[in-house]
Amino acid sequence: MSIFTPTNQIRLTNVAMVRIKKGGKRFEIACYKNKVVSWRSGTEKDIDEVLQTHTVFVNVSKGQVAKREDLLHSFGTDDQTDICRQILAKGELQVSEKERHVQLESMFRDIATTVADKCVNPETRRPYPVGMIERAMKDVHYSVKPTRSTKQQALEVIRLLKETMQIERAHMRLSLTVPKKFGKGTRERLTPHIAVVERESWDSGDLEMVCLIDPGQFRAIDEVLRRETKGRGTLELISLKDVEEGEERFE
């Protein structure tokens, strides 16, 4: 699609419009095709690669630019780039039904791939095939939300699938060292955040531990270790995922 904007004599090509209704008015921005999805998924960080122009329109195809007073009333600011960011985050991408179907199918597959990559069967410690995650998502009637990132939706899917199948986040394996004078107190405060202690030693006087944790506990463990040891403890990430080799087999 090619759009001519008489207001600034810029010819916009390969346009994807994102539209939002706010304060009783419609606002649109002109973006490059395929870049909106990349921005929302977090793979594209440079907004200049997404926006064709840092201008807010009421109608992109007619080149009608939004009035300053309307922007202030609806968004509380007249900063066009800031408003573009808001529209990118919450607006609706205007695409044909065929394009929308392809986009949703692609996102569905990406979400399933992320879930399969991050999760395991807790009984076997083996990952599920992507195809099985896709079937499970269909069984719970999961609907893709195009305005949310695949990572956010993958976390939501994991919570939903836990209600219907054996699945959990793959554990991270950590090595922790706590100086002797802080050992016992720090050990007690770390315990609630640890799933499995694989090895624990006090042979040198210091506490040395290898453990498995849920990835969501990593930040809490790091904070406890820093606080309780006054920055003298050490934390080493041994592996991001504790899984058995091979895939789970299903007849």
Side-chain angles (χ1 to χ4, degrees):
M1 179 169 60
S2 179
I3 298 173
F4 184 71
T5 58
T7 55
N8 53 17
Q9 303 299 303
I10 296 176
R11 189 175 180 83
L12 302 176
T13 58
N14 191 30
V15 174
M17 287 182 289
V18 180
R19 178 183 298 160
I20 195 171
K21 288 186 178 179
K22 197 172 178 69
K25 295 185 179 295
R26 184 181 77 176
F27 301 96
E28 297 178 347
I29 55 176
C31 305
Y32 292 103
K33 283 189 175 181
N34 304 321
K35 287 295 186 177
V36 175
V37 174
S38 298
W39 174 268
R40 288 174 170 172
S41 68
T43 55
E44 178 59 67
K45 308 283 188 187
D46 187 353
I47 196 168
D48 289 328
E49 293 294 321
V50 182
L51 299 176
Q52 294 225 10
T53 173
H54 291 241
T55 302
V56 181
F57 298 85
V58 292
N59 190 311
V60 168
S61 58
K62 293 181 179 180
Q64 295 175 349
V65 177
K67 296 178 181 178
R68 179 175 179 272
E69 53 267 33
D70 290 339
L71 296 178
L72 287 169
H73 173 74
S74 298
F75 297 95
T77 179
D78 60 354
D79 184 323
Q80 302 251 347
T81 300
D82 181 57
I83 295 170
C84 287
R85 290 179 183 274
Q86 293 185 48
I87 297 175
L88 273 173
K90 299 179 181 179
E92 182 179 351
L93 178 62
Q94 305 300 300
V95 295
S96 68
E97 283 302 312
K98 182 178 180 181
E99 287 177 314
R100 185 183 300 278
H101 181 69
V102 170
Q103 174 195 351
L104 293 179
E105 275 195 338
S106 177
M107 287 192 74
F108 190 92
R109 177 76 177 182
D110 288 345
I111 293 166
T113 300
T114 300
V115 173
D117 182 59
K118 293 182 178 296
C119 295
V120 294
N121 180 325
E123 294 182 353
T124 63
R125 308 306 306 169
R126 290 183 175 180
Y128 286 110
V130 174
M132 184 172 186
I133 298 297
E134 287 185 299
R135 290 194 295 274
M137 289 170 62
K138 291 175 182 176
D139 288 343
V140 299
H141 307 291
Y142 185 76
S143 297
V144 173
K145 302 170 183 63
T147 59
R148 298 183 63 196
S149 72
T150 54
K151 182 178 180 180
Q152 288 175 322
Q153 294 187 77
L155 294 174
E156 182 181 350
V157 166
I158 292 169
R159 288 193 293 270
L160 289 173
L161 295 188
K162 282 183 176 180
E163 299 175 6
T164 61
M165 64 189 292
Q166 292 282 334
I167 189 169
E168 68 177 25
R169 292 282 299 273
H171 288 143
M172 298 170 68
R173 180 177 281 110
L174 304 179
S175 173
L176 306 173
T177 303
V178 181
K180 181 179 180 179
K181 64 182 294 186
F182 306 108
K184 291 185 178 180
T186 304
R187 175 69 170 83
E188 291 176 2
R189 288 168 178 78
L190 287 171
T191 298
H193 306 290
I194 294 173
V196 179
V197 176
E198 292 188 322
R199 180 170 59 81
E200 183 174 341
S201 171
W202 297 81
D203 291 345
S204 63
D206 295 342
L207 168 61
E208 297 180 355
M209 183 190 306
V210 175
C211 59
L212 300 178
I213 68 163
D214 183 284
Q217 296 294 328
F218 182 84
R219 181 174 296 179
I221 287 176
D222 185 46
E223 289 175 353
V224 168
L225 192 64
R226 290 174 184 272
R227 182 178 66 248
E228 297 299 323
T229 68
K230 295 179 172 56
R232 299 179 194 175
T234 61
L235 182 157
E236 180 185 354
L237 176 61
I238 299 176
S239 62
L240 282 172
K241 294 192 298 181
D242 173 48
V243 297
E244 296 293 334
E245 292 298 322
E247 286 190 337
E248 184 71 346
R249 295 285 182 248
F250 296 90
E251 300 299 332

